[in-house]
């Protein structure tokens, strides 16, 4: 599968991420300026047509953490988003449905968590109806029934996704 190449518009987005991360990492203006300057130097050195934006972000996040002495600038925000996700998932779950496809759509709704959006936008997106444009759920059910002892790896890249993924995992466990 070809990887996505970095685009010119990725640079302002990465600069915005630097500003967001520094703002969360420290309230000290001198320390913040130093962290921002060093992170932008990383961005300048790493940004190229063959670069991967997530790799660049990982590098400048390490720099920001080192300069500010804050090992987890997003800690408070992750906690708040996790609490919000738990509340929204509890509200949504009873009316969502119990079929495997419904639980898969609920898990997809959990992907609305995003550090770049406001909590209001995240909540609105998480409450929106999800419809799958393409679904291989029946094939998946058949494969799970044929091999119930198999392993399934589920990756959650945002802290609050767990509340949306757990009903799906329970449904899968019930199939086995």
């Amino acid at each position: 599968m070809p990887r996505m190449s970095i685009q010119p518009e990725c640079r302002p987005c990465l600069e915005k991420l630097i500003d967001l991360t520094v703002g969360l990492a420290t309230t000290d203006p001198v320390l913040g300026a130093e962290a921002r300057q060093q992170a932008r130097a990383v961005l300048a050195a790493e940004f190229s047509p063959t670069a991967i934006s997530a790799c660049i972000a990982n590098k400048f996040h390490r720099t920001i953490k080192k300069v500010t002495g804050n090992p987890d600038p997003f800690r408070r925000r992750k906690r708040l988003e996790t609490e919000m996700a738990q509340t929204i998932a509890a509200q949504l779950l009873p009316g969502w449905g119990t079929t495997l496809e419904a639980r898969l759509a609920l898990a997809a709704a959990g992907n609305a968590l995003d550090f770049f959006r406001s909590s209001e936008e995240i909540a609105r997106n998480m409450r929106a109806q999800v419809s799958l444009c393409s679904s291989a759920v029946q094939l998946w059910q058949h494969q799970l029934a044929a091999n119930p002892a198999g392993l399934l790896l589920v990756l959650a890249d945002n802290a609050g996704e767990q509340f949306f993924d757990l009903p799906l995992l329970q449904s899968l466990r019930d199939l086995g």
Side-chain angles (χ1 to χ4, degrees), residues 109-143:
N111 286 307
L113 283 172
D114 187 340
F115 286 127
F116 296 103
R117 297 182 179 146
S118 69
S119 58
E120 296 79 22
E121 184 179 358
I122 292 168
R124 185 176 58 254
N125 288 341
M126 292 175 93
R127 287 185 173 100
Q129 183 64 38
V130 173
S131 58
L132 303 173
C133 63
S134 175
S135 174
V137 171
Q138 289 179 340
L139 175 62
W140 196 27
Q141 285 176 302
H142 176 72
Q143 289 174 337

Side-chain angles (χ1 to χ4, degrees), residues 60-79:
F60 68 64
H61 275 130
R62 281 192 295 272
T63 298
I64 292 167
K65 291 174 184 181
K66 182 178 177 184
V67 171
T68 64
N70 184 337
D72 189 0
F74 289 92
R75 182 180 181 153
R76 181 175 182 273
R77 196 161 183 170
K78 287 186 286 190
R79 182 181 50 79

Side-chain angles (χ1 to χ4, degrees), residues 80-127:
L80 293 172
E81 285 189 0
T82 299
E83 290 170 1
M84 178 180 58
Q86 183 176 23
T87 300
I88 293 171
Q91 293 168 354
L92 292 179
L93 185 59
W96 203 270
T98 58
T99 66
L100 188 58
E101 190 155 5
R103 294 293 167 94
L104 187 60
L106 178 65
N111 286 307
L113 283 172
D114 187 340
F115 286 127
F116 296 103
R117 297 182 179 146
S118 69
S119 58
E120 296 79 22
E121 184 179 358
I122 292 168
R124 185 176 58 254
N125 288 341
M126 292 175 93
R127 287 185 173 100

Side-chain angles (χ1 to χ4, degrees), residues 42-66:
V42 169
L43 176 59
E46 297 292 328
F47 198 89
S48 73
T50 60
I52 298 170
S53 58
C55 293
I56 296 172
N58 285 338
K59 288 179 181 181
F60 68 64
H61 275 130
R62 281 192 295 272
T63 298
I64 292 167
K65 291 174 184 181
K66 182 178 177 184

